[in-house]
Amino acid sequence: MDTATTYKTKVTAAFNKAAAAYDRLGVEFFTPMGRRLVEHARPQPGQRLLDVGCGLGATLLPAADRIGPTGHALGIDIAEAMIEQAGQEARRQGIDNVELRVMDGEHPDLPARSFDLVLGSYSVIFLPDARAALARYADLLRDGGRIAFTSPVFHKDQFPFLPPLFSRWIPMSLLQHLPPAWHPEQLRRQLHSWLEDPADLEAALRQAGFTDTVITDEVVEMTAASGEDWVEWSHTQGMRLLWQHLPTDEAAALRTRLTGELDALRGADGLIRIDVPVRYVTATVAR
Ligand SMILES: C[S@@+](CC[C@H](N)C(=O)[O-])C[C@H]1O[C@@H](n2cnc3c(N)ncnc32)[C@H](O)[C@@H]1O
């Protein structure tokens, strides 16, 4: 198996495992981010849209709601369990203009020029060659179609996917436990170095066939019911990478530290609020 295939197999297994608990562990993050991405994307009634790496539908379902009964929303995800759960969630919310398929979002097997909008919240970052995928998304769009996606605001010298606050509590020395392929510097180069600098991001989109790129960094307020809830939730997210490779004693020490520090942030209503910088990117196909 080549590196990209091995990587994808691991990502798929991780998200299949996470699906049942995904974003449902007393922590709110993907849902408010998805709703906000839809506000940036501005889907219109009757449009056809594609959500790449739709997960449980944090973006797909509010977008489907906006395009209404004459529109059509297709959600694709590489993890079968995510697609199953998204279907249940759509039925629960009574949204029936949604189609869901298990598909590799890096190579979508879909007709050219068949969508008005391509969405992807915290999913483009998982594609081994996202820049090549962007050009494929441009092909899928009708003239004047748009792309809208989110990514973390990456910083070179902190654990990927975590809000800056956490760099105070998670010593970089713990990252030595990650296998070389998951080392932050390696991940950064392979997956998101092009996302860090807005100029690189804009250039990648231009090269892929997009114009009018708008990059907006905003804060999503993540809420957690308790430090323990946040730590459990982090096992279903990017930080799972770290947890699964930490020696037992280091994992136990980190868990104690994080729950204590997070519980100390509780407000009068008992909720922990953490500001998470999120990058929203929109662009229009250049034809
Ligand atoms: C962090 S989750 C975000 C899910 C959803 N967009 C949300 O905001 O809640 C990333 C999603 O991307 C999916 N994913 C990762 N690699 C993928 C690929 N190559 N093709 C399609 N989906 C992929 C994962 O299975 C997971 O559901």
Side-chain angles (χ1 to χ4, degrees):
M1 252 195 265
D2 62 28
T3 323
T5 312
T6 310
Y7 167 80
K8 270 186 198 166
T9 308
K10 287 193 175 169
V11 168
T12 306
F15 279 107
N16 270 329
K17 224 167 164 183
Y22 185 79
D23 219 19
R24 290 176 180 156
L25 288 173
V27 177
E28 277 262 305
F29 175 59
F30 291 98
T31 305
M33 178 173 61
R35 275 198 299 263
R36 184 70 183 131
L37 176 60
V38 171
E39 285 169 13
H40 279 284
R42 301 190 305 274
Q44 302 298 312
Q47 284 191 330
R48 291 181 63 85
L49 63 87
L50 169 69
D51 185 9
V52 176
C54 62
L56 302 192
T59 305
L60 180 70
L61 299 180
D65 193 43
R66 286 242 196 156
I67 57 178
T70 56
H72 183 263
L74 173 61
I76 61 172
D77 200 288
I78 201 163
E80 204 179 325
M82 284 290 192
I83 289 294
E84 270 168 33
Q85 300 272 339
Q88 285 177 23
E89 189 55 32
R91 282 190 290 281
R92 197 184 66 74
Q93 294 187 26
I95 296 179
D96 55 12
N97 57 351
V98 164
E99 184 190 349
L100 291 152
R101 290 201 222 163
V102 178
M103 193 183 289
D104 181 356
E106 195 174 15
H107 299 274
D109 182 15
L110 295 165
R113 306 206 176 193
S114 57
F115 295 95
D116 303 292
L117 177 63
V118 172
L119 296 162
S121 195
Y122 257 51
S123 52
V124 173
I125 46 172
F126 289 99
L127 305 180
D129 191 350
R131 278 167 286 198
L134 291 177
R136 295 183 198 113
Y137 303 151
D139 287 344
L140 294 181
L141 285 167
R142 294 175 177 156
D143 292 0
R146 301 176 75 228
I147 188 167
F149 61 94
T150 64
S151 94
V153 179
F154 288 109
H155 294 280
K156 255 189 212 160
D157 46 2
Q158 70 190 37
F159 190 75
F161 308 112
L162 286 181
L165 178 70
F166 285 78
S167 52
R168 274 201 252 147
W169 306 323
I170 305 182
M172 290 300 273
S173 57
L174 287 186
L175 303 180
Q176 68 183 333
H177 297 295
L178 294 175
W182 294 113
H183 194 275
E185 186 49 34
Q186 168 71 15
L187 280 181
R188 187 183 88 77
R189 261 200 311 275
Q190 189 195 330
L191 297 178
H192 56 74
S193 51
W194 63 284
L195 284 162
E196 282 167 17
D197 181 344
D200 293 342
L201 178 49
E202 205 268 332
L205 280 158
R206 195 169 353 99
Q207 223 172 358
F210 289 95
T211 182
D212 295 334
T213 297
V214 178
I215 299 169
T216 315
D217 291 350
E218 292 177 8
V219 160
V220 170
E221 188 182 72
M222 174 193 269
T223 58
S226 68
E228 190 59 31
D229 277 359
W230 190 90
V231 169
E232 280 304 306
W233 177 86
S234 71
H235 282 75
T236 71
Q237 309 302 326
M239 194 173 157
R240 179 189 190 85
L241 280 183
L242 182 61
W243 288 119
Q244 69 191 10
H245 291 109
L246 280 187
T248 319
D249 56 334
E250 299 252 33
L254 184 60
R255 175 180 276 269
T256 306
R257 171 146 204 217
L258 288 178
T259 43
E261 297 282 3
L262 287 166
D263 281 334
L265 297 180
R266 278 190 153 149
D269 59 1
L271 274 186
I272 299 162
R273 294 187 164 75
I274 304 165
D275 283 348
V276 185
V278 172
R279 179 158 288 171
Y280 296 87
V281 184
T282 61
T284 305
V285 74
R287 62 175 138 74

PDB file of all heavy atoms in Angstrom, residues 77-112:
ATOM      1  N   ASP A  77     -18.616  10.869   2.448  1.00  0.00           N
ATOM      2  CA  ASP A  77     -17.617  10.690   3.503  1.00  0.00           C
ATOM      3  C   ASP A  77     -16.957   9.339   3.290  1.00  0.00           C
ATOM      4  O   ASP A  77     -17.595   8.389   2.834  1.00  0.00           O
ATOM      5  CB  ASP A  77     -18.272  10.751   4.891  1.00  0.00           C
ATOM      6  CG  ASP A  77     -17.264  11.068   5.993  1.00  0.00           C
ATOM      7  OD1 ASP A  77     -16.433  10.178   6.314  1.00  0.00           O
ATOM      8  OD2 ASP A  77     -17.281  12.198   6.513  1.00  0.00           O
ATOM      9  N   ILE A  78     -15.690   9.273   3.645  1.00  0.00           N
ATOM     10  CA  ILE A  78     -14.942   8.024   3.450  1.00  0.00           C
ATOM     11  C   ILE A  78     -15.304   7.010   4.535  1.00  0.00           C
ATOM     12  O   ILE A  78     -15.104   5.810   4.355  1.00  0.00           O
ATOM     13  CB  ILE A  78     -13.424   8.323   3.418  1.00  0.00           C
ATOM     14  CG1 ILE A  78     -12.662   7.198   2.721  1.00  0.00           C
ATOM     15  CG2 ILE A  78     -12.874   8.580   4.816  1.00  0.00           C
ATOM     16  CD1 ILE A  78     -11.268   7.576   2.275  1.00  0.00           C
ATOM     17  N   ALA A  79     -15.843   7.485   5.661  1.00  0.00           N
ATOM     18  CA  ALA A  79     -16.178   6.593   6.783  1.00  0.00           C
ATOM     19  C   ALA A  79     -17.656   6.209   6.732  1.00  0.00           C
ATOM     20  O   ALA A  79     -18.544   7.056   6.899  1.00  0.00           O
ATOM     21  CB  ALA A  79     -15.840   7.271   8.103  1.00  0.00           C
ATOM     22  N   GLU A  80     -17.883   4.923   6.521  1.00  0.00           N
ATOM     23  CA  GLU A  80     -19.246   4.398   6.377  1.00  0.00           C
ATOM     24  C   GLU A  80     -20.123   4.725   7.602  1.00  0.00           C
ATOM     25  O   GLU A  80     -21.297   5.073   7.467  1.00  0.00           O
ATOM     26  CB  GLU A  80     -19.118   2.885   6.237  1.00  0.00           C
ATOM     27  CG  GLU A  80     -20.254   2.223   5.552  1.00  0.00           C
ATOM     28  CD  GLU A  80     -19.983   0.714   5.470  1.00  0.00           C
ATOM     29  OE1 GLU A  80     -18.822   0.313   5.317  1.00  0.00           O
ATOM     30  OE2 GLU A  80     -20.971  -0.032   5.592  1.00  0.00           O
ATOM     31  N   ALA A  81     -19.509   4.606   8.797  1.00  0.00           N
ATOM     32  CA  ALA A  81     -20.293   4.835  10.015  1.00  0.00           C
ATOM     33  C   ALA A  81     -20.756   6.286  10.097  1.00  0.00           C
ATOM     34  O   ALA A  81     -21.836   6.579  10.616  1.00  0.00           O
ATOM     35  CB  ALA A  81     -19.467   4.462  11.240  1.00  0.00           C
ATOM     36  N   MET A  82     -19.953   7.217   9.581  1.00  0.00           N
ATOM     37  CA  MET A  82     -20.352   8.626   9.573  1.00  0.00           C
ATOM     38  C   MET A  82     -21.576   8.793   8.665  1.00  0.00           C
ATOM     39  O   MET A  82     -22.526   9.510   9.007  1.00  0.00           O
ATOM     40  CB  MET A  82     -19.212   9.514   9.056  1.00  0.00           C
ATOM     41  CG  MET A  82     -18.104   9.731  10.057  1.00  0.00           C
ATOM     42  SD  MET A  82     -18.665  10.784  11.427  1.00  0.00           S
ATOM     43  CE  MET A  82     -17.127  11.167  12.237  1.00  0.00           C
ATOM     44  N   ILE A  83     -21.541   8.131   7.523  1.00  0.00           N
ATOM     45  CA  ILE A  83     -22.648   8.247   6.558  1.00  0.00           C
ATOM     46  C   ILE A  83     -23.939   7.663   7.166  1.00  0.00           C
ATOM     47  O   ILE A  83     -25.015   8.262   7.057  1.00  0.00           O
ATOM     48  CB  ILE A  83     -22.262   7.543   5.226  1.00  0.00           C
ATOM     49  CG1 ILE A  83     -21.187   8.359   4.497  1.00  0.00           C
ATOM     50  CG2 ILE A  83     -23.466   7.292   4.328  1.00  0.00           C
ATOM     51  CD1 ILE A  83     -21.641   9.741   4.004  1.00  0.00           C
ATOM     52  N   GLU A  84     -23.807   6.521   7.843  1.00  0.00           N
ATOM     53  CA  GLU A  84     -24.991   5.916   8.490  1.00  0.00           C
ATOM     54  C   GLU A  84     -25.596   6.872   9.512  1.00  0.00           C
ATOM     55  O   GLU A  84     -26.793   7.106   9.540  1.00  0.00           O
ATOM     56  CB  GLU A  84     -24.590   4.642   9.230  1.00  0.00           C
ATOM     57  CG  GLU A  84     -24.679   3.395   8.387  1.00  0.00           C
ATOM     58  CD  GLU A  84     -23.990   2.237   9.096  1.00  0.00           C
ATOM     59  OE1 GLU A  84     -24.020   2.185  10.333  1.00  0.00           O
ATOM     60  OE2 GLU A  84     -23.397   1.412   8.372  1.00  0.00           O
ATOM     61  N   GLN A  85     -24.712   7.430  10.361  1.00  0.00           N
ATOM     62  CA  GLN A  85     -25.197   8.324  11.419  1.00  0.00           C
ATOM     63  C   GLN A  85     -25.772   9.614  10.831  1.00  0.00           C
ATOM     64  O   GLN A  85     -26.731  10.158  11.359  1.00  0.00           O
ATOM     65  CB  GLN A  85     -24.052   8.689  12.368  1.00  0.00           C
ATOM     66  CG  GLN A  85     -23.416   7.513  13.051  1.00  0.00           C
ATOM     67  CD  GLN A  85     -24.117   7.157  14.357  1.00  0.00           C
ATOM     68  OE1 GLN A  85     -24.799   7.984  14.935  1.00  0.00           O
ATOM     69  NE2 GLN A  85     -23.962   5.935  14.790  1.00  0.00           N
ATOM     70  N   ALA A  86     -25.164  10.086   9.741  1.00  0.00           N
ATOM     71  CA  ALA A  86     -25.686  11.315   9.116  1.00  0.00           C
ATOM     72  C   ALA A  86     -27.097  11.063   8.580  1.00  0.00           C
ATOM     73  O   ALA A  86     -27.972  11.931   8.681  1.00  0.00           O
ATOM     74  CB  ALA A  86     -24.752  11.768   7.989  1.00  0.00           C
ATOM     75  N   GLY A  87     -27.323   9.864   8.023  1.00  0.00           N
ATOM     76  CA  GLY A  87     -28.653   9.510   7.512  1.00  0.00           C
ATOM     77  C   GLY A  87     -29.678   9.521   8.647  1.00  0.00           C
ATOM     78  O   GLY A  87     -30.780  10.066   8.511  1.00  0.00           O
ATOM     79  N   GLN A  88     -29.274   8.964   9.792  1.00  0.00           N
ATOM     80  CA  GLN A  88     -30.186   8.947  10.950  1.00  0.00           C
ATOM     81  C   GLN A  88     -30.495  10.369  11.408  1.00  0.00           C
ATOM     82  O   GLN A  88     -31.617  10.701  11.744  1.00  0.00           O
ATOM     83  CB  GLN A  88     -29.540   8.192  12.111  1.00  0.00           C
ATOM     84  CG  GLN A  88     -29.543   6.684  11.897  1.00  0.00           C
ATOM     85  CD  GLN A  88     -28.828   5.957  13.038  1.00  0.00           C
ATOM     86  OE1 GLN A  88     -28.708   6.485  14.145  1.00  0.00           O
ATOM     87  NE2 GLN A  88     -28.347   4.769  12.761  1.00  0.00           N
ATOM     88  N   GLU A  89     -29.441  11.206  11.408  1.00  0.00           N
ATOM     89  CA  GLU A  89     -29.617  12.583  11.871  1.00  0.00           C
ATOM     90  C   GLU A  89     -30.536  13.359  10.914  1.00  0.00           C
ATOM     91  O   GLU A  89     -31.396  14.129  11.354  1.00  0.00           O
ATOM     92  CB  GLU A  89     -28.239  13.263  11.985  1.00  0.00           C
ATOM     93  CG  GLU A  89     -28.207  14.607  12.645  1.00  0.00           C
ATOM     94  CD  GLU A  89     -28.821  14.638  14.052  1.00  0.00           C
ATOM     95  OE1 GLU A  89     -28.753  13.639  14.774  1.00  0.00           O
ATOM     96  OE2 GLU A  89     -29.397  15.699  14.395  1.00  0.00           O
ATOM     97  N   ALA A  90     -30.378  13.133   9.596  1.00  0.00           N
ATOM     98  CA  ALA A  90     -31.240  13.813   8.611  1.00  0.00           C
ATOM     99  C   ALA A  90     -32.703  13.400   8.832  1.00  0.00           C
ATOM    100  O   ALA A  90     -33.601  14.247   8.846  1.00  0.00           O
ATOM    101  CB  ALA A  90     -30.787  13.472   7.187  1.00  0.00           C
ATOM    102  N   ARG A  91     -32.916  12.098   9.062  1.00  0.00           N
ATOM    103  CA  ARG A  91     -34.302  11.623   9.289  1.00  0.00           C
ATOM    104  C   ARG A  91     -34.844  12.227  10.582  1.00  0.00           C
ATOM    105  O   ARG A  91     -35.986  12.677  10.640  1.00  0.00           O
ATOM    106  CB  ARG A  91     -34.330  10.091   9.360  1.00  0.00           C
ATOM    107  CG  ARG A  91     -34.251   9.447   7.954  1.00  0.00           C
ATOM    108  CD  ARG A  91     -34.531   7.952   8.003  1.00  0.00           C
ATOM    109  NE  ARG A  91     -33.459   7.206   8.640  1.00  0.00           N
ATOM    110  CZ  ARG A  91     -32.290   6.873   8.043  1.00  0.00           C
ATOM    111  NH1 ARG A  91     -32.081   7.218   6.785  1.00  0.00           N
ATOM    112  NH2 ARG A  91     -31.367   6.193   8.689  1.00  0.00           N
ATOM    113  N   ARG A  92     -33.984  12.266  11.614  1.00  0.00           N
ATOM    114  CA  ARG A  92     -34.428  12.822  12.894  1.00  0.00           C
ATOM    115  C   ARG A  92     -34.860  14.280  12.745  1.00  0.00           C
ATOM    116  O   ARG A  92     -35.838  14.713  13.323  1.00  0.00           O
ATOM    117  CB  ARG A  92     -33.284  12.708  13.921  1.00  0.00           C
ATOM    118  CG  ARG A  92     -33.704  12.853  15.360  1.00  0.00           C
ATOM    119  CD  ARG A  92     -32.520  12.834  16.306  1.00  0.00           C
ATOM    120  NE  ARG A  92     -31.631  13.980  16.145  1.00  0.00           N
ATOM    121  CZ  ARG A  92     -31.898  15.217  16.546  1.00  0.00           C
ATOM    122  NH1 ARG A  92     -33.029  15.478  17.144  1.00  0.00           N
ATOM    123  NH2 ARG A  92     -31.039  16.198  16.355  1.00  0.00           N
ATOM    124  N   GLN A  93     -34.105  15.035  11.883  1.00  0.00           N
ATOM    125  CA  GLN A  93     -34.429  16.451  11.685  1.00  0.00           C
ATOM    126  C   GLN A  93     -35.494  16.652  10.604  1.00  0.00           C
ATOM    127  O   GLN A  93     -35.848  17.779  10.282  1.00  0.00           O
ATOM    128  CB  GLN A  93     -33.162  17.233  11.313  1.00  0.00           C
ATOM    129  CG  GLN A  93     -32.139  17.299  12.430  1.00  0.00           C
ATOM    130  CD  GLN A  93     -30.973  18.227  12.094  1.00  0.00           C
ATOM    131  OE1 GLN A  93     -31.082  19.162  11.310  1.00  0.00           O
ATOM    132  NE2 GLN A  93     -29.821  17.957  12.690  1.00  0.00           N
ATOM    133  N   GLY A  94     -35.946  15.572   9.981  1.00  0.00           N
ATOM    134  CA  GLY A  94     -36.989  15.681   8.946  1.00  0.00           C
ATOM    135  C   GLY A  94     -36.489  16.355   7.676  1.00  0.00           C
ATOM    136  O   GLY A  94     -37.251  17.005   6.961  1.00  0.00           O
ATOM    137  N   ILE A  95     -35.190  16.221   7.379  1.00  0.00           N
ATOM    138  CA  ILE A  95     -34.618  16.832   6.168  1.00  0.00           C
ATOM    139  C   ILE A  95     -34.540  15.751   5.099  1.00  0.00           C
ATOM    140  O   ILE A  95     -33.858  14.742   5.290  1.00  0.00           O
ATOM    141  CB  ILE A  95     -33.229  17.430   6.474  1.00  0.00           C
ATOM    142  CG1 ILE A  95     -33.385  18.564   7.486  1.00  0.00           C
ATOM    143  CG2 ILE A  95     -32.547  17.931   5.204  1.00  0.00           C
ATOM    144  CD1 ILE A  95     -32.102  19.224   7.908  1.00  0.00           C
ATOM    145  N   ASP A  96     -35.251  15.932   3.981  1.00  0.00           N
ATOM    146  CA  ASP A  96     -35.309  14.818   3.030  1.00  0.00           C
ATOM    147  C   ASP A  96     -34.783  15.170   1.627  1.00  0.00           C
ATOM    148  O   ASP A  96     -34.999  14.420   0.678  1.00  0.00           O
ATOM    149  CB  ASP A  96     -36.729  14.234   2.950  1.00  0.00           C
ATOM    150  CG  ASP A  96     -37.744  15.294   2.610  1.00  0.00           C
ATOM    151  OD1 ASP A  96     -37.323  16.404   2.217  1.00  0.00           O
ATOM    152  OD2 ASP A  96     -38.954  15.026   2.764  1.00  0.00           O
ATOM    153  N   ASN A  97     -34.095  16.303   1.491  1.00  0.00           N
ATOM    154  CA  ASN A  97     -33.467  16.614   0.193  1.00  0.00           C
ATOM    155  C   ASN A  97     -31.978  16.249   0.206  1.00  0.00           C
ATOM    156  O   ASN A  97     -31.172  16.827  -0.521  1.00  0.00           O
ATOM    157  CB  ASN A  97     -33.643  18.096  -0.166  1.00  0.00           C
ATOM    158  CG  ASN A  97     -33.085  19.002   0.920  1.00  0.00           C
ATOM    159  OD1 ASN A  97     -32.724  18.538   2.000  1.00  0.00           O
ATOM    160  ND2 ASN A  97     -33.002  20.287   0.639  1.00  0.00           N
ATOM    161  N   VAL A  98     -31.638  15.292   1.078  1.00  0.00           N
ATOM    162  CA  VAL A  98     -30.240  14.934   1.271  1.00  0.00           C
ATOM    163  C   VAL A  98     -29.973  13.521   0.778  1.00  0.00           C
ATOM    164  O   VAL A  98     -30.739  12.612   1.054  1.00  0.00           O
ATOM    165  CB  VAL A  98     -29.893  15.015   2.784  1.00  0.00           C
ATOM    166  CG1 VAL A  98     -28.602  14.307   3.095  1.00  0.00           C
ATOM    167  CG2 VAL A  98     -29.794  16.449   3.225  1.00  0.00           C
ATOM    168  N   GLU A  99     -28.863  13.369   0.051  1.00  0.00           N
ATOM    169  CA  GLU A  99     -28.412  12.041  -0.360  1.00  0.00           C
ATOM    170  C   GLU A  99     -27.047  11.826   0.285  1.00  0.00           C
ATOM    171  O   GLU A  99     -26.252  12.765   0.361  1.00  0.00           O
ATOM    172  CB  GLU A  99     -28.284  12.031  -1.888  1.00  0.00           C
ATOM    173  CG  GLU A  99     -27.910  10.692  -2.469  1.00  0.00           C
ATOM    174  CD  GLU A  99     -27.561  10.796  -3.966  1.00  0.00           C
ATOM    175  OE1 GLU A  99     -27.807  11.856  -4.579  1.00  0.00           O
ATOM    176  OE2 GLU A  99     -27.022   9.820  -4.486  1.00  0.00           O
ATOM    177  N   LEU A 100     -26.777  10.596   0.717  1.00  0.00           N
ATOM    178  CA  LEU A 100     -25.499  10.328   1.395  1.00  0.00           C
ATOM    179  C   LEU A 100     -24.806   9.157   0.725  1.00  0.00           C
ATOM    180  O   LEU A 100     -25.446   8.146   0.436  1.00  0.00           O
ATOM    181  CB  LEU A 100     -25.767  10.021   2.870  1.00  0.00           C
ATOM    182  CG  LEU A 100     -26.246  11.243   3.653  1.00  0.00           C
ATOM    183  CD1 LEU A 100     -27.106  10.845   4.826  1.00  0.00           C
ATOM    184  CD2 LEU A 100     -25.061  12.080   4.124  1.00  0.00           C
ATOM    185  N   ARG A 101     -23.516   9.303   0.497  1.00  0.00           N
ATOM    186  CA  ARG A 101     -22.775   8.194  -0.132  1.00  0.00           C
ATOM    187  C   ARG A 101     -21.398   8.049   0.503  1.00  0.00           C
ATOM    188  O   ARG A 101     -20.738   9.052   0.805  1.00  0.00           O
ATOM    189  CB  ARG A 101     -22.547   8.482  -1.621  1.00  0.00           C
ATOM    190  CG  ARG A 101     -23.817   8.409  -2.435  1.00  0.00           C
ATOM    191  CD  ARG A 101     -23.407   8.190  -3.885  1.00  0.00           C
ATOM    192  NE  ARG A 101     -24.217   9.012  -4.765  1.00  0.00           N
ATOM    193  CZ  ARG A 101     -23.900   9.289  -6.017  1.00  0.00           C
ATOM    194  NH1 ARG A 101     -22.760   8.859  -6.532  1.00  0.00           N
ATOM    195  NH2 ARG A 101     -24.685  10.021  -6.764  1.00  0.00           N
ATOM    196  N   VAL A 102     -20.938   6.819   0.641  1.00  0.00           N
ATOM    197  CA  VAL A 102     -19.568   6.575   1.069  1.00  0.00           C
ATOM    198  C   VAL A 102     -18.690   6.792  -0.164  1.00  0.00           C
ATOM    199  O   VAL A 102     -18.893   6.141  -1.196  1.00  0.00           O
ATOM    200  CB  VAL A 102     -19.398   5.131   1.588  1.00  0.00           C
ATOM    201  CG1 VAL A 102     -17.942   4.870   1.982  1.00  0.00           C
ATOM    202  CG2 VAL A 102     -20.322   4.875   2.771  1.00  0.00           C
ATOM    203  N   MET A 103     -17.766   7.722  -0.077  1.00  0.00           N
ATOM    204  CA  MET A 103     -16.915   8.022  -1.245  1.00  0.00           C
ATOM    205  C   MET A 103     -15.641   8.730  -0.776  1.00  0.00           C
ATOM    206  O   MET A 103     -15.686   9.509   0.189  1.00  0.00           O
ATOM    207  CB  MET A 103     -17.685   8.939  -2.208  1.00  0.00           C
ATOM    208  CG  MET A 103     -17.060   9.069  -3.582  1.00  0.00           C
ATOM    209  SD  MET A 103     -17.968  10.225  -4.651  1.00  0.00           S
ATOM    210  CE  MET A 103     -19.452   9.329  -5.009  1.00  0.00           C
ATOM    211  N   ASP A 104     -14.552   8.476  -1.446  1.00  0.00           N
ATOM    212  CA  ASP A 104     -13.311   9.193  -1.166  1.00  0.00           C
ATOM    213  C   ASP A 104     -13.430  10.618  -1.728  1.00  0.00           C
ATOM    214  O   ASP A 104     -13.534  10.802  -2.945  1.00  0.00           O
ATOM    215  CB  ASP A 104     -12.133   8.449  -1.814  1.00  0.00           C
ATOM    216  CG  ASP A 104     -10.804   9.133  -1.537  1.00  0.00           C
ATOM    217  OD1 ASP A 104     -10.794  10.204  -0.914  1.00  0.00           O
ATOM    218  OD2 ASP A 104      -9.767   8.570  -1.959  1.00  0.00           O
ATOM    219  N   GLY A 105     -13.403  11.579  -0.833  1.00  0.00           N
ATOM    220  CA  GLY A 105     -13.569  12.968  -1.247  1.00  0.00           C
ATOM    221  C   GLY A 105     -12.385  13.519  -2.027  1.00  0.00           C
ATOM    222  O   GLY A 105     -12.471  14.585  -2.633  1.00  0.00           O
ATOM    223  N   GLU A 106     -11.285  12.796  -2.010  1.00  0.00           N
ATOM    224  CA  GLU A 106     -10.135  13.281  -2.769  1.00  0.00           C
ATOM    225  C   GLU A 106     -10.321  13.003  -4.265  1.00  0.00           C
ATOM    226  O   GLU A 106      -9.780  13.716  -5.107  1.00  0.00           O
ATOM    227  CB  GLU A 106      -8.855  12.592  -2.259  1.00  0.00           C
ATOM    228  CG  GLU A 106      -7.612  13.294  -2.737  1.00  0.00           C
ATOM    229  CD  GLU A 106      -6.352  12.707  -2.120  1.00  0.00           C
ATOM    230  OE1 GLU A 106      -6.399  11.595  -1.559  1.00  0.00           O
ATOM    231  OE2 GLU A 106      -5.308  13.372  -2.222  1.00  0.00           O
ATOM    232  N   HIS A 107     -11.095  11.960  -4.556  1.00  0.00           N
ATOM    233  CA  HIS A 107     -11.347  11.582  -5.959  1.00  0.00           C
ATOM    234  C   HIS A 107     -12.850  11.372  -6.156  1.00  0.00           C
ATOM    235  O   HIS A 107     -13.293  10.237  -6.340  1.00  0.00           O
ATOM    236  CB  HIS A 107     -10.606  10.285  -6.308  1.00  0.00           C
ATOM    237  CG  HIS A 107      -9.128  10.409  -6.168  1.00  0.00           C
ATOM    238  ND1 HIS A 107      -8.329  10.896  -7.190  1.00  0.00           N
ATOM    239  CD2 HIS A 107      -8.302  10.148  -5.134  1.00  0.00           C
ATOM    240  CE1 HIS A 107      -7.071  10.916  -6.778  1.00  0.00           C
ATOM    241  NE2 HIS A 107      -7.028  10.468  -5.544  1.00  0.00           N
ATOM    242  N   PRO A 108     -13.637  12.426  -6.083  1.00  0.00           N
ATOM    243  CA  PRO A 108     -15.089  12.221  -6.150  1.00  0.00           C
ATOM    244  C   PRO A 108     -15.515  11.712  -7.526  1.00  0.00           C
ATOM    245  O   PRO A 108     -15.155  12.298  -8.545  1.00  0.00           O
ATOM    246  CB  PRO A 108     -15.667  13.611  -5.870  1.00  0.00           C
ATOM    247  CG  PRO A 108     -14.552  14.562  -6.074  1.00  0.00           C
ATOM    248  CD  PRO A 108     -13.259  13.828  -5.950  1.00  0.00           C
ATOM    249  N   ASP A 109     -16.238  10.596  -7.525  1.00  0.00           N
ATOM    250  CA  ASP A 109     -16.687  10.003  -8.781  1.00  0.00           C
ATOM    251  C   ASP A 109     -18.076  10.569  -9.086  1.00  0.00           C
ATOM    252  O   ASP A 109     -19.096   9.927  -8.850  1.00  0.00           O
ATOM    253  CB  ASP A 109     -16.721   8.474  -8.579  1.00  0.00           C
ATOM    254  CG  ASP A 109     -17.133   7.764  -9.850  1.00  0.00           C
ATOM    255  OD1 ASP A 109     -17.115   8.405 -10.923  1.00  0.00           O
ATOM    256  OD2 ASP A 109     -17.498   6.574  -9.754  1.00  0.00           O
ATOM    257  N   LEU A 110     -18.080  11.804  -9.594  1.00  0.00           N
ATOM    258  CA  LEU A 110     -19.340  12.532  -9.790  1.00  0.00           C
ATOM    259  C   LEU A 110     -19.269  13.288 -11.115  1.00  0.00           C
ATOM    260  O   LEU A 110     -18.170  13.627 -11.576  1.00  0.00           O
ATOM    261  CB  LEU A 110     -19.531  13.532  -8.631  1.00  0.00           C
ATOM    262  CG  LEU A 110     -19.713  12.891  -7.242  1.00  0.00           C
ATOM    263  CD1 LEU A 110     -19.530  13.927  -6.140  1.00  0.00           C
ATOM    264  CD2 LEU A 110     -21.079  12.223  -7.136  1.00  0.00           C
ATOM    265  N   PRO A 111     -20.418  13.567 -11.730  1.00  0.00           N
ATOM    266  CA  PRO A 111     -20.390  14.222 -13.037  1.00  0.00           C
ATOM    267  C   PRO A 111     -19.851  15.659 -12.986  1.00  0.00           C
ATOM    268  O   PRO A 111     -20.108  16.388 -12.028  1.00  0.00           O
ATOM    269  CB  PRO A 111     -21.862  14.240 -13.477  1.00  0.00           C
ATOM    270  CG  PRO A 111     -22.632  13.507 -12.436  1.00  0.00           C
ATOM    271  CD  PRO A 111     -21.759  13.244 -11.266  1.00  0.00           C
ATOM    272  N   ALA A 112     -19.103  16.017 -14.028  1.00  0.00           N
ATOM    273  CA  ALA A 112     -18.564  17.380 -14.131  1.00  0.00           C
ATOM    274  C   ALA A 112     -19.720  18.385 -14.188  1.00  0.00           C
ATOM    275  O   ALA A 112     -20.805  18.066 -14.660  1.00  0.00           O
ATOM    276  CB  ALA A 112     -17.700  17.497 -15.383  1.00  0.00           C
TER     277      ALA A 112
END
